[in-house]
Amino acid sequence: MNDRTVAIGRALPTNGGLARVALFFTQPVNLIFVGVASVIAFLALYPSFFLLYGSLTDSPLGVPGHFTLQNYVQAYSDPTAYPLILTSFIFGIGASGLSVILALTLAWITIRTNAPFRRLFELVAIVPNILPPLLISISWVLLLNPSNGLINGILVRLFGLERGPFNIYSLPGLIFVEGLILTPLAFLIIAAALKSMDPSLEESAKTLGSGEVGVAARITFPLMRPAILAAGTLNFVRAVESFDTPAIIALPARLEVFTTKIWREALGSFPTNHNLAATYGVGILLIALIFVYLYRRFTSQVESFSTVTGKGFRPHQIDLGRWRYLASGTALLMLTLMVILPILVLLLVSVLPYYHVPTWQTWQNLTLSNFRFVVENPRVFRAFRNSMILAIVGATLCMGLAALTAYITIRTKIAARGLLEGLVFIPWAFPGTALALGLLWAYVDFPIPIYGTLWIIMIAYITRFLPYGLRAVSSTIIQIHKELEEASTVCGAGFFATFRRILVPMMRPGIMAGWIILATTFMREFSATLFLYSPGSEALGPLLYFLYLDGMRGRVAAIGLVISVISVILIAIAQRLSRWDTE
Amino acid sequence: MRKILNSFVAGLALLIFAAGPSFGQDAKLIDAAKKEGGKVVIYGSLESDSMDVVSKAFQKKTGIEVEYWRGSATKVMDRAVSEYRAGKPGFDIILTNDNPMQLMQKEGIFAKYDSPSAKDFSKDSIDPNLGPRYRNVIIGVVYNKSAISPADAPKSLEDLVNPKYKGKLVMPDPTQHTTTTQWVASLEKLMGKEKAEKYIRDLAAMKPILVESLLPAAERVSTGETPIAITYVKYAYIYGQKGAPLDYVRLGKMMGDGHYLGLGNKAPHVNAGKVFIDYFLGQESMMMIAKLGEFVNRKGVYPPLPDADKIQFVELYDLDAKGFAEKKKEYTKIFLQ
């Protein structure tokens, strides 16, 4: 049996001449590997090359320059750079830690318990991934700013306090908001893994006398380790490279993190210093690659995480008895923080002529003009159409590529498979705007005339967000025991038949989770889109960004709400389809 | 009566005579523009709403479609320069702040085009290479009347550093926001070098709330989160229109930045570009933009902001890359440490 497993994906021939090369290419999986590797290598290396080159030259890209290490000296000899690395690290760990704790609790309640309304909670938990992070940050500033934040105001009035107890402009404030923004991503990954878990281990523990809490602590959560680590790793890097929340909260708090530093020194400076931005990007890249390495080490004992076997199963549901209301209450509290409060603020902003702390007079001035703008403006309609195409087609293509890549990196013994995973992470590790610059330079002069079309944006999305899809699908694939593929192979099925009939259905929760993450992210992405779209291919991200830039918060909130509704419908359809398939 | 009628007819004839060649030229250009594809592509940082109004009127008048790519001044320059260097400029017109326009001019991106509409701009607002500075964005002090009564509001820039306003002031971070770096550096134009140096330190000692750019500063004042802001004066009008209780301090002299537009020297739709520039710099378009709160430079056209005609505009210092780097270093010490 083991011999057959090894046969799926041989090591690249190191000697033995043409015959061995020919043998290598007779294996369909090897052909797939070469195809996938070529696509990913091109997507990742082509724009990255321009950025690396940019960090080692003394002139802007497109202008011949000289080799120099001066950018590295300037970036890393600055003594103020080191305290901010520490702040960034605390911020990244704090935000990703908070997001994983929230996601794990929420996923456990909604998937494994009989808490009332759990299905609804599960659907709603994804909503913040749909809202542009910028909007969530602004909402929290309006709720928790020390001078007239709504929550502070209410608490001051209720308890007769001298001043509001919360101050959003602080490191805990920054971590709190970013943690909430990152929770849906962690939730999707963890929930997918939790759904595909074999309950037999839990049942064995129960038979041996463990209580529900003991099973959860000793069996369920340790088994979830790859998914937890995947979510933590992804969110750590996402927090470290995020700019929206720090721009709104860290700056008034006089905190400096890596991205605000890059902005101050390179991208926001005048004229822009792309070389320096690329140099900082390389720094973040190295940090991200260390995390990828750690992740691979954590999950190297693949077999020990295999929980989906050939035996039929149905995830075991825990009867919480009277505690189930408490569980629902906890989930509701989390969703209040993640979804309900920000959405309420957005609703308020969308019907006010300008934002202010509501008074009695406010109710006389409510307006639907922002929603009228959404319905009547042809530019908004075009942006919705473009973003829907990008979300549906882009997420589907990206998940196809992610599923194949995950299979190759986890299941085969092909020598260069680790390299493939490393390649995927390269563009993701660059800060969004720096990568967008790399993409612009890379594709502006591309021989196929795709610059300025929707296709170039789709390529950018797939390049940048492939790791999201990969993480989501990897954590499920790790849990599928090899016995299923082996059985299929033994019965005479080829690679494609096994992949299509065994692996894809088994990986479905991961694929669906990844698809949802990608589609919702593509609906609102702006940093890469901004550099690559031309007027005809404007998507929702840049539209929202420009409306925000022009101070049209009401319109931004109205469009944000419409995007949320559309995305929830999209997610509900996707989940329905995946369930229908299972039935 | 006959005299009046005669003068009217003579005036009309003069108007037709004066307008004649310009209409003739327009018609020819418009025909040529339609043969090029009937559209003009613009990269710029003029607010989308202003551009929307102008483009609609322009399209109605000429039948030429406007495609607008909007970005901050730095992003506009990044994109335009990268495309130009790659030999694939997708734009016909660039429209943004003075400093990036000058840099792009040095890069050789623009073609020289003397628009007939330029003649209605004052001589001091015409740059020999870039043509008319079509608008000024003026920075002043805006306050929220609900949070601070007009009697208690500051009356001058010097008032801003009065300890009673400590913690009540918001401004863009001068170490990060380039126009604000220029504004702080140019204070000596209003106060003289010595006084300005002391003033900058006093301002920093007020520990103002620092934000990303001029708009978030205005927003914080409009919501009442912070009572006073250093921001664009036009926001007092724009947010005022929506109902926010804002006013601005009548400082007399106020500093600001100029905006220009230029025709690309490899413009894919060169004639459409020319037609647009002629229209954009004309009376009709400038009136539309002014109505939305902009300070345009066409003679006698003002935004509907009280006392707008009394503001004396002082142009900000232009800084080069080295100048910006030095000032940022200096202000980091003063404002952040």
Side-chain angles (χ1 to χ4, degrees), chain A residues 74-88 256-258 261 264-265 280, chain B residues 332-333 336-337:
Chain A
Q74 188 183 340
Y76 299 107
S77 67
D78 176 2
T80 63
Y82 294 95
L84 79 91
I85 289 176
L86 182 68
T87 316
S88 291
E256 182 109 282
V257 291
F258 220 55
K261 174 86 174 168
R264 188 191 306 283
E265 300 291 332
Y280 282 117
Chain B
T332 302
K333 275 188 195 150
L336 299 180
Q337 285 167 13

Side-chain angles (χ1 to χ4, degrees), chain B residues 86-97:
Chain B
K88 287 190 181 170
F91 57 90
D92 301 306
I93 290 171
I94 300 287
L95 172 141
T96 192
N97 303 39

